[in-house]
Amino acid sequence: MDYNFHWRPVFRKIPELLEAGLLTLEVAVISMILGITIGLGLALLRMKGPTPLRQIATTWVEIARNTPALFQLFFFGFGLGAFGLHLSPYLIVLAGLTFNNAGYLAENFRGGFLAVPDTQIRAARSLGMTAAQTYIRIIIPQVLRIVYHPMTNQMVWAVLMSSLGMLVGFRELSGETQFFASKTYRIFEYFAVTAIIYYVIVKIILLASNFAARRLFRY
Amino acid sequence: MSNSASFFTDFQATDLLFLGEAAGRTLGISLVSISIGTALGIFFGWSLQASKWFAQATIGTVLDAFRSVPLIIQLILFYNFFPIIGWKMGPFAAGAFVLSIYTAALVANVVRGGIEAVGEPMRRAARSLGMSYWQDLRYVVWPIGLRAVFPSWVGVALSVIKDSALVSVLGYMELLRASQILITRTQEPFIILACAGAFYFALSYPLSKYSQKLEESWTS
């Protein structure tokens, strides 16, 4: 083994890497919020929507679940270029992640809604609750409990998937790492540190989610 | 323009052949990784379930790290690590290596779930009928556990096929990289990406529907 590890240039760039890590987290969180909103809509459309909308929702879900995330990212990056639509790297990653999150979450939400029996809706309505009250007080809390764990997983996936941003020129944690690595040729060292940062980010998300779950689902 | 050389040429029939070959390579690296990864994953999953803390502290921690770091980072990391320790590994070998361990990390969880699904009373019953530990594993745990987690295993296999697209960062000429090269030449991103996407979809969609159906018929 005649390779000398040089960690110093990497350690000097750790503040920049951590900052890029925040960007990674930012994209993941925004794409999750959008993904949850759209995913909820897709799930409801698939269950109760009129046929054309239901087909669109189904197509969205199946494409998101059955093609690689990188393909989806390339599609938003290069594919839309065919129609003269050129997104910035940030928007490419955000759109790609949102598309993917929405597709996967829609399926989770649908499973969650189907797990709550219809009789509960009828019971709530016959107690005098309005449709909105029924959803907010009876259905949503139960669905939330079922989809909470899959949602946490999806959040972790969003963080991991955002690393694909480096292939479309987005300078989040991976893109920034590649930028520095190609400047100094310390590829292994840089990516080793980045791997640790990702690991820590994922662990923090899981810890926070467990903590929140204990407070949310106490009874 | 007619008598001058052009960098960009239209999408041709031979390009479809080029894409097809690349699709074959995608399938190839996926199959290799899924086979090796599943074999490793069954062993890891069994040892995670069978041992109290030792396997959990060693194998469990390592596999957890593989699940918590983006695959693309793992690929770049190992591809650049092998030359350091003097191993000569091309994009295919390095890609298959990382994908296999990644698969094993996912399969180990599935297998552990499968063994746990069998339940302690059933296994004790098997042992008290005079079966040896291995007979119990082979004739009781395997058939019942397989039923419980086969659909999840199909899910893992499908996600590995999709994630194999990332091996393109090492320069391996799989489907997505081939389509990128064609895009650079033909300047027709939409059609080519649609072809690549259709291939993945055609592979993944029937399998996922099939496993869904299996899951439904086995749970009811």
Side-chain angles (χ1 to χ4, degrees):
Chain A
M1 192 172 116
D2 43 11
Y3 182 90
N4 293 311
F5 290 98
H6 289 279
W7 295 97
R8 195 164 299 274
V10 186
F11 290 153
R12 251 198 312 252
K13 291 290 188 224
I14 279 184
E16 276 95 333
L17 289 180
L18 289 178
E19 215 167 289
L22 281 182
L23 190 58
T24 285
L25 212 52
E26 179 195 312
V27 164
V29 167
I30 297 178
S31 75
M32 264 313 269
I33 294 171
L34 293 175
I36 289 172
T37 318
I38 300 173
L40 209 52
L42 291 177
L44 291 173
L45 278 182
R46 280 194 81 181
M47 289 185 300
K48 308 207 159 99
T51 314
L53 286 177
R54 193 167 63 217
Q55 278 163 349
I56 292 174
T58 306
T59 311
W60 181 323
V61 170
E62 296 300 357
I63 290 179
R65 291 169 63 92
N66 289 306
T67 57
L70 184 57
F71 160 79
Q72 292 161 20
L73 226 58
F74 279 177
F75 189 83
F76 282 105
F78 313 127
L80 288 185
F83 305 114
L85 203 62
H86 296 283
L87 304 177
S88 72
Y90 183 90
L91 278 181
I92 293 173
V93 175
L94 189 60
L97 288 190
T98 303
F99 179 81
N100 191 282
N101 284 342
Y104 275 87
L105 288 171
E107 221 28 21
N108 293 333
F109 290 149
R110 199 168 70 106
F113 279 114
L114 291 178
V116 179
D118 270 347
T119 47
Q120 294 209 7
I121 299 180
R122 266 175 263 151
R125 294 306 296 276
S126 65
L127 284 173
M129 287 188 176
T130 63
Q133 277 177 324
T134 308
Y135 262 84
I136 293 169
R137 298 207 171 151
I138 308 293
I139 310 295
I140 302 282
Q142 297 185 65
V143 172
L144 187 65
R145 194 171 296 208
I146 299 170
V147 299
Y148 187 80
H149 189 63
M151 250 161 60
T152 306
N153 275 343
Q154 191 64 33
M155 176 65 202
V156 170
W157 278 112
V159 168
L160 300 186
M161 260 191 298
S162 70
S163 65
L164 303 179
M166 72 185 251
L167 298 179
V168 290
F170 182 39
R171 291 265 295 271
E172 37 65 70
L173 184 48
S174 300
E176 192 81 342
T177 309
Q178 199 192 27
F179 176 72
F180 288 134
S182 50
K183 259 170 110 179
T184 57
Y185 277 100
R186 294 290 143 203
I187 301 173
F188 176 77
E189 288 90 330
Y190 267 111
F191 278 95
V193 169
T194 297
I196 295 171
I197 297 177
Y198 270 112
Y199 184 80
V200 172
I201 292 178
V202 167
K203 287 294 152 199
I204 289 175
I205 291 173
L206 290 178
L207 275 178
S209 151
N210 276 342
F211 179 74
R214 266 208 294 278
R215 312 226 57 180
L216 273 174
F217 310 126
R218 237 179 311 195
Y219 44 88
Chain B
M1 269 302 277
S2 56
N3 50 4
S4 68
S6 174
F7 288 113
F8 306 135
T9 46
D10 286 342
F11 192 62
Q12 296 153 352
T14 48
D15 294 339
L16 272 181
L17 202 69
F18 179 64
L19 278 182
E21 260 176 52
R25 276 189 284 265
T26 284
L27 270 183
I29 199 166
S30 308
L31 286 181
V32 169
S33 313
I34 292 171
S35 315
I36 300 176
T38 302
L40 283 175
I42 289 175
F43 173 72
F44 290 153
W46 164 75
S47 47
L48 281 178
Q49 208 278 329
S51 99
K52 288 258 174 340
W53 58 270
F54 181 73
Q56 192 58 251
T58 51
I59 302 172
T61 316
V62 173
L63 294 187
D64 180 55
F66 272 89
R67 283 192 299 264
S68 311
V69 172
L71 186 58
I72 197 167
I73 305 288
Q74 295 174 28
L75 285 164
I76 297 174
L77 202 57
F78 277 95
Y79 190 56
N80 288 287
F81 178 67
F82 291 136
I84 293 177
I85 53 172
W87 292 4
K88 288 197 179 64
M89 276 212 188
F92 176 84
F97 181 93
V98 174
L99 267 181
S100 297
I101 300 183
Y102 181 73
T103 313
L106 298 176
V107 170
N109 255 3
V110 169
V111 168
R112 182 160 63 152
I115 299 177
E116 271 160 14
V118 176
E120 201 57 32
M122 181 98 74
R123 301 190 61 181
R124 265 189 239 128
R127 293 303 297 277
S128 62
L129 283 175
M131 286 185 171
S132 72
Y133 180 77
W134 300 109
Q135 279 176 324
D136 160 42
L137 271 190
R138 167 68 187 83
Y139 295 106
V140 177
V141 176
W142 174 260
I144 300 176
L146 187 65
R147 261 180 167 235
V149 295
F150 184 74
S152 334
W153 179 81
V154 174
V156 169
L158 287 178
S159 79
V160 171
I161 293 175
K162 285 180 275 170
D163 288 338
S164 75
L166 299 185
V167 181
S168 56
V169 287
L170 306 184
Y172 187 61
M173 195 54 111
E174 47 68 68
L175 184 57
L176 216 49
R177 190 176 167 82
S179 54
Q180 255 197 311
I181 286 172
L182 279 185
I183 288 170
T184 316
R185 207 204 69 214
T186 62
Q187 300 291 303
E188 282 183 85
F190 188 76
I191 301 171
I192 293 166
L193 275 179
C195 283
F199 173 79
Y200 283 111
F201 192 83
L203 199 65
S204 167
Y205 183 74
L207 276 172
S208 71
K209 282 286 162 232
Y210 167 71
S211 86
Q212 232 172 48
K213 206 158 271 162
L214 273 187
E215 197 172 0
E216 276 158 20
S217 68
W218 282 353
T219 47
S220 62

